[in-house]
Amino acid sequence: MKTLKIFDTDASVFTNEATVLTCEKSNKEGYEDCYEVITDSTIFAPEGGGQKCDEGFFGDVPVKDVQEIDGELIHFLENEIKAGTKVLQKIDYSLRFRRMQNHNAEHLICGLIHAKFGFDNVGFHLSETRNDDGSLESIEAIMDVDGPISAEDLKEIEMKANVAISENVPIYAILPSAEEAEKISYRSKLDITENLRLVIIDGYDVCACCAPCLDSSAQIQLVKIVDFFPHRGGMRLTLRAGIDAVKDYIALHDDNKNTMKILSCERGRCAEAAQRMNVKLIETNEETVSLKRQITVMLEKELKNTIRMQESAYIVYFADSIDEIQARTLINDNVKESEKVIIVLFEKNNDAYRFVAGKNENLTGISLKELAGKMRENLNARGGGSEQMIQGSVTCDIEKIKQFFDSL
Ligand SMILES: [Zn+2]
């Protein structure tokens, strides 16, 4: 490696004057328009260890990507910068800081899980959500451990992690030699001792890691396990830490306040109140079903009388208080014994009605499809159906509807 990686031991440096060592046109797929720039030192952490590379500029030239390839740290830039040129590197420090908060929170949680259960971290990445303008909306840390942990134990781990944050213990990275590394007990996904970098949260965790780290646990601010579920024999945990945990808390608090208002309940009693409301809703639904049944029975009697009394082949029946299922039931129950077309109009809304019309299948000579066409022409109707049943809506006043069917 030709480059001094400043972030390895000091992640708080966000500007650096570096000298360009080499600058070559890239032939990496997707980067054909870019130059690969290697500098004598850098504050740009490459993509790796479950997170994306730092974002920023060389002077006013944006850095498109940073990768460690074949032991060299390569910056991808759209402009050529000649070897020997001095450049001012600047990184987006607020983005790095939020990533460090979430990443170090993951170290802390994993360290505590490892100490209590002996489980290892077998997967980790930072999931970022961006706004339309490319700015960062939120970060979540997603991590897998290789053993099961109960909800109660996770709560305890989460509390211990937040106590560790409040203790303001130092966080730092060391680059031990292979010989030194053998004497240190640390967590690692890979069995490496060469070019080892260890991130230490004093008293809580020692872990092989390549990403920039905070200076102290207090900078993590807060950690919350927002989701967890069994995954491949172990657990997948989603964490929010630092500013992202605070933003999440504020959003949930606002949501909770609105819910409290809707449910007319005190803080911390929403679930209880929602449960009570749910029971009431089930009871009300049962009552509604029973009332609807009674209404249908009454309407059926009335409709039967209407059918008997009216000479016309078209029985037009207005029933504002029923729904589509009831309208269909009324028609199905009456067309069997009737030689007439029954049209039920329901769900009045201003001058619009929904309708269902049906007839006995033995009643030939009247086409319901044709009727639907005439209704479209004369009553602003929409909809259609089969020869036995049509449905849709009409937008027309009641007198005109009656006149139309009288004229058929
Ligand atoms: Zn790490």
Side-chain angles (χ1 to χ4, degrees):
M1 171 82 56
K2 300 185 190 92
T3 311
L4 170 69
K5 296 193 279 187
I6 293 170
F7 57 85
D8 256 355
T9 47
D10 190 352
S12 62
V13 181
F14 54 89
T15 61
N16 173 50
E17 195 180 71
T19 303
V20 174
L21 299 178
T22 60
C23 178
E24 288 164 12
K25 195 100 176 103
S26 179
N27 54 17
K28 188 173 178 256
E29 206 187 324
Y31 290 87
E32 291 84 356
D33 294 337
C34 290
Y35 291 86
E36 297 187 0
V37 182
I38 297 177
T39 48
D40 62 342
S41 64
T42 191
I43 49 173
F44 281 86
E47 182 178 1
Q51 68 181 56
K52 297 210 171 75
C53 66
D54 277 316
E55 293 177 13
F57 296 86
F58 275 23
D60 52 9
V61 181
V63 175
K64 306 281 284 181
D65 198 2
V66 188
Q67 298 282 335
E68 194 168 324
I69 301 170
D70 299 330
E72 291 302 339
L73 205 144
I74 298 168
H75 311 82
F76 291 84
L77 280 79
E78 276 177 1
N79 295 31
E80 184 178 11
I81 305 176
K82 292 249 176 325
T85 309
K86 281 197 185 314
V87 287
L88 185 68
Q89 299 177 329
K90 285 173 288 187
I91 58 157
D92 179 344
Y93 189 68
S94 68
L95 170 64
R96 171 184 281 181
F97 193 79
R98 277 168 72 177
R99 284 175 176 168
M100 292 195 294
Q101 287 187 308
N102 282 281
H103 193 136
N104 286 170
E106 179 261 349
H107 279 223
L108 188 52
I109 293 281
C110 280
L112 288 164
I113 288 174
H114 187 76
K116 182 163 171 126
F117 301 101
F119 299 150
D120 282 313
N121 175 347
V122 289
F124 166 72
H125 74 276
L126 290 184
S127 168
E128 296 182 1
T129 308
R130 299 278 176 149
N131 298 310
D132 290 343
D133 65 359
S135 61
L136 182 67
E137 170 60 26
S138 64
I139 304 182
E140 281 182 342
I142 296 164
M143 50 173 274
D144 298 335
V145 290
D146 59 358
I149 310 170
S150 70
E152 277 307 301
D153 284 333
L154 282 174
K155 242 184 212 172
E156 194 187 313
I157 294 280
E158 182 182 85
M159 183 49 84
K160 276 187 179 164
N162 282 293
V163 168
I165 290 168
S166 72
E167 286 170 354
N168 194 21
V169 298
I171 303 179
Y172 54 97
I174 56 167
L175 305 163
S177 66
E179 203 179 37
E180 287 165 334
E182 282 194 7
K183 294 179 199 138
I184 307 171
S185 162
Y186 58 91
R187 297 189 297 115
S188 175
K189 288 201 199 78
L190 302 169
D191 201 12
I192 42 158
T193 48
E194 287 292 318
N195 296 323
L196 183 70
R197 178 174 175 272
L198 296 175
V199 169
I200 297 165
I201 302 178
D202 233 7
Y204 288 97
D205 189 45
V206 182
C207 182
C209 181
C210 58
C213 66
L214 296 166
D215 296 326
S216 80
S217 64
Q219 287 179 311
I220 298 173
Q221 227 174 329
L222 168 68
V223 59
K224 180 83 193 95
I225 299 171
V226 294
D227 195 18
F228 59 89
F229 53 87
H231 180 71
R232 293 183 179 168
M235 303 290 289
R236 172 159 289 183
L237 274 57
T238 303
L239 315 176
R240 286 198 179 200
I243 295 288
D244 291 284
V246 173
K247 277 179 82 176
D248 191 46
Y249 180 62
I250 291 169
L252 288 178
H253 180 81
D254 287 350
D255 187 58
N256 190 53
K257 242 181 155 180
N258 290 334
T259 313
M260 278 160 59
K261 212 186 259 174
I262 293 164
L263 296 172
S264 306
C265 69
E266 287 170 27
R267 189 178 158 90
R269 303 244 176 234
C270 286
E272 212 176 277
Q275 182 59 27
R276 269 201 307 274
M277 189 176 259
N278 201 27
V279 169
K280 222 181 250 174
L281 191 66
I282 292 167
E283 285 170 6
T284 310
N285 279 344
E286 283 167 1
E287 264 172 42
T288 307
V289 169
S290 158
L291 285 171
K292 277 185 174 177
R293 220 175 279 138
Q294 288 175 39
I295 290 171
T296 312
V297 169
M298 280 160 55
L299 291 179
E300 249 172 53
K301 273 187 198 154
E302 199 182 84
L303 183 57
K304 275 202 172 74
N305 277 337
T306 311
I307 293 167
R308 227 183 2 252
M309 312 265 294
Q310 281 194 20
E311 302 272 302
S312 162
Y314 296 89
I315 304 297
V316 185
Y317 192 70
F318 291 89
D320 288 352
S321 59
I322 66 170
D323 60 24
E324 188 184 326
I325 296 171
Q326 288 173 293
R328 283 171 171 277
T329 309
L330 277 179
I331 289 171
N332 286 328
D333 288 353
N334 284 285
V335 288
K336 283 177 214 143
E337 310 148 18
S338 166
E339 293 290 296
K340 295 175 179 184
V341 176
I342 302 169
I343 304 108
V344 175
L345 293 108
F346 60 98
E347 284 182 13
K348 186 174 189 289
N349 185 6
N350 294 326
D351 256 358
Y353 284 90
R354 294 180 66 198
F355 76 89
V356 181
K359 65 162 193 166
N360 191 312
E361 57 186 348
N362 299 322
L363 178 63
T364 52
I366 294 178
S367 161
L368 285 194
K369 281 189 177 172
E370 250 174 56
L371 176 65
K374 284 184 191 162
M375 286 173 75
R376 278 197 289 273
E377 270 169 41
N378 296 283
L379 302 177
N380 282 326
R382 287 158 176 259
S386 67
E387 276 305 345
Q388 257 63 57
M389 193 169 269
I390 55 172
Q391 68 179 85
S393 64
V394 293
T395 307
C396 197
D397 69 62
I398 194 162
E399 281 313 312
K400 208 172 167 198
I401 296 170
K402 283 180 178 167
Q403 273 170 23
F404 167 76
F405 285 104
D406 284 346
S407 72
L408 293 174

